[in-house]
Amino acid sequence: MTITRGQNDPLDDFSRKVVGVDGVDKTVHVTGTGPAVVLMPEMPGISPDVARFARWVRDAGFSVYLPSLFGVDGAYPLAEAQETVVRRACVSAEFRAFAGGGTSPVVAWLRGLARLAHAERGGVGAVGLCFSGNFALTMALEPAVIAPVVNHPSLPLDDPGGLEISDEDAAAVAERVARDGLKVLAYRFDNDRWCTGRRFAAYQALLGNAFDGRVLASETANTDPPPFFRDVVGCAHSVVTAHLVDESGHPTVRARDEIIAFLAERLGTRRA
C-alpha cells in the first residue's frame, strides 16, 4: 500500500479492535498472520511512516499489533503536534517522560497486550520507537516477549544518559536476559540528541553482551522528513520510519532488514 507523502494513512488494511487490560481499554490495529510482533508508535503517533514499517513487518510473515498510545491514528506528523500531543503525553500519568519517574505505567498494559497476542498468534516480538523505545525492554518482563527491539529510545527526556526504568525492573530485566539468553537489538543515529551514546552505554552496562546497539551515521538519514521531525525533533532520529531512505542497500533499509531478520530468528519464521 502506497501513501502519498503529506497525506494521512487510513489504516484500512488493518483490523481495529479494542483491547482491555486491567480495566483500561485501548485501540489496537492488527494486520498479518504468523507470530506476533507488538509495534509501539513513536511521537507523535501512528504516522504513515510507522504504518509503513508495520506493513513491512507484516509482509515478512508476522502478525503486527499496533496499539494507539497517543496522537491521531494515521495522521501525517505536523509540527503542531508538539503542543497537541507531546506536551499532553509528557504530563500523562501513563508515561514517565522525565528522570526519576521509573518505569512508565503503560508498560503493564502493553505486557497484557503481549499476553493476548501470544495466545492468539504465538511469539512475541516487541519493537519500541522513540518515546516508546524502552518499552520494548521493560515488556520483556512478560515471559511471552522473546524478541525485544529498542529503537532510538528518547526517555527520559531530561537525562541523556538515563534509562526509563525503575531500579527493581532493571534488575529483573537483566536477570531475565541472562537466564533466558535474550538478545536486545537497538538502533540510533550517531548525532541524535534525543538518544545519545551515553544512553546506549547505560544499556550496555545493564545488559552486557546481550545488548546489540548499532549506530548509523547521521548523514545517511532522510533529509526531507515530515514537519514534526524537521522542526521539532531537529536531528536524525527515526532510523526505520521518518528518517529512513527507501532505497535498496541504503543503511536505513539494511537496519530495517536486520530488525526483521532478528524477529524471524527469535520467533521462528522466515522473511518472505
Side-chain angles (χ1 to χ4, degrees):
M1 183 176 184
T2 301
I3 302 296
T4 302
R5 198 72 167 168
Q7 291 186 342
N8 292 348
D9 189 325
L11 303 174
D12 51 12
D13 54 332
F14 293 75
S15 63
R16 180 181 180 277
K17 64 194 303 182
V18 176
V19 174
V21 177
D22 296 333
V24 177
D25 291 342
K26 293 185 182 296
T27 297
V28 181
H29 303 273
V30 183
T31 187
T33 58
V37 174
V38 176
L39 171 62
M40 292 156 281
E42 64 188 354
M43 277 294 170
I46 302 175
S47 69
D49 287 328
V50 170
R52 177 180 64 171
F53 180 67
R55 293 183 179 105
W56 281 326
V57 175
R58 172 197 66 193
D59 294 346
F62 300 95
S63 299
V64 179
Y65 289 70
L66 182 57
S68 178
L69 302 181
F70 34 71
V72 177
D73 297 349
Y76 183 71
L78 300 175
E80 290 80 357
Q82 181 177 19
E83 298 297 329
T84 60
V85 180
V86 179
R87 293 190 187 279
R88 189 178 305 160
C90 285
V91 299
S92 169
E94 286 198 300
F95 304 105
R96 296 288 186 262
F98 301 104
T103 302
S104 290
V106 73
V107 174
W109 187 92
L110 290 165
R111 290 173 190 149
L113 175 61
R115 290 191 293 273
L116 171 69
H118 182 263
E120 292 181 343
R121 308 292 174 88
V124 173
V127 181
L129 303 169
C130 178
F131 203 83
S132 70
N134 191 66
F135 298 171
L137 179 63
T138 45
M139 280 180 69
L141 291 179
E142 164 55 46
V145 175
I146 57 176
V149 182
V150 178
N151 282 297
H152 45 89
S154 62
L155 301 187
L157 296 173
D158 59 344
D159 183 2
L163 300 181
E164 182 270 342
I165 188 170
S166 69
D167 291 343
E168 181 181 5
D169 282 352
V173 165
E175 180 183 359
R176 197 218 157 178
V177 165
R179 182 183 67 243
D180 296 342
L182 293 191
K183 298 294 183 183
V184 179
L185 183 60
Y187 287 86
R188 59 178 291 269
F189 284 109
D190 58 3
N191 289 329
D192 186 352
R193 63 190 179 94
W194 301 102
C195 179
T196 66
R198 289 171 58 194
R199 180 155 295 147
F200 265 31
Y203 280 108
Q204 191 80 55
L206 175 65
L207 302 172
N209 292 335
F211 179 71
D212 184 359
R214 304 182 183 184
V215 182
L216 279 65
S218 293
E219 56 265 27
T220 65
N222 178 11
T223 57
D224 186 29
F228 177 84
F229 294 90
R230 182 190 67 223
D231 300 334
V232 178
V233 175
C235 62
H237 178 63
S238 300
V239 174
V240 295
T241 53
H243 288 106
L244 179 139
V245 177
D246 192 9
E247 298 175 357
S248 178
H250 191 273
T252 55
V253 169
R254 289 201 300 269
R256 176 203 67 188
D257 292 345
E258 288 164 4
I259 290 170
I260 291 174
F262 173 79
L263 293 170
E265 177 185 2
R266 301 295 299 182
L267 303 180
T269 188
R270 294 182 179 178
R271 184 171 181 179

